[in-house]
Amino acid sequence: MRALVQTVSRASVTVDGAVVGAIEDGLLVLLGVTHSDDAALADTLARKVWELRILDDEKSAGDLGAPVLVVSQFTLYADARKGRRPSWSAAAPAEVAEPLVTAFADALRSRGAHVETGRFRAHMLVESVNVGPRTVLLEL
């Protein structure tokens, strides 16, 4: 499981012209799932994201109660080592990934996070205004 975590002053996801998730002053998490991931790993990664000291004054989202926007991002498992066309074979199929993205978001919520999400299997427009910019790639 991979999470690309960015500090944002605002971020949103739009599907078919409607905003389906939006936050201010929090974390945008692009989340990729691979074949061997499970719910326990999703919980561990959610804890790491919630406690990651990436915000101002080395605070975490948990310290500040900052909101989190979670967006499924299978392309985090792209492999472009051979040629110019990436392979997506390391990314879990939607049937495996969707419940784990939900488990990740639920694990954040169980820790007290306000969580917004994108929409799985939809063409999403993701907008963000990064702060810092501060971006961390977490991989378990």
Side-chain angles (χ1 to χ4, degrees), residues 30-94:
L30 305 178
L31 186 66
V33 178
T34 192
H35 305 279
S36 59
D37 293 340
D38 59 23
L41 197 62
D43 184 69
T44 299
L45 188 57
R47 180 187 52 78
K48 287 184 78 78
V49 166
W50 189 237
E51 296 174 357
L52 184 65
R53 299 192 173 281
I54 191 174
L55 296 169
D56 290 343
D57 300 321
E58 295 186 15
K59 300 288 186 179
S60 68
D63 293 334
L64 301 175
V68 182
L69 175 59
V70 177
V71 179
S72 175
Q73 188 74 36
F74 75 91
T75 60
L76 287 176
Y77 278 99
D79 182 354
R81 290 178 288 183
K82 296 180 182 178
R84 297 171 297 177
R85 182 177 296 143
S87 165
W88 315 113
S89 63

Side-chain angles (χ1 to χ4, degrees), residues 4-8 26-30 54 128 130 134-136:
L4 185 70
V5 182
Q6 298 178 317
T7 57
V8 296
L27 300 178
L28 170 61
V29 178
L30 305 178
I54 191 174
S128 66
N130 292 19
R134 290 175 290 223
T135 302
V136 174

Side-chain angles (χ1 to χ4, degrees), residues 39 66 71 80 93 102 109 127:
V71 179
T102 299
R109 288 183 184 107
E127 295 183 88

Side-chain angles (χ1 to χ4, degrees), residues 73-130:
Q73 188 74 36
F74 75 91
T75 60
L76 287 176
Y77 278 99
D79 182 354
R81 290 178 288 183
K82 296 180 182 178
R84 297 171 297 177
R85 182 177 296 143
S87 165
W88 315 113
S89 63
E95 298 75 28
V96 172
E98 187 172 10
L100 292 176
V101 171
T102 299
F104 175 84
D106 289 345
L108 284 168
R109 288 183 184 107
S110 75
R111 289 171 168 78
H114 171 80
V115 179
E116 298 278 327
T117 63
R119 186 171 297 155
F120 213 86
R121 294 186 183 188
H123 184 266
M124 296 179 280
L125 300 176
V126 180
E127 295 183 88
S128 66
V129 177
N130 292 19

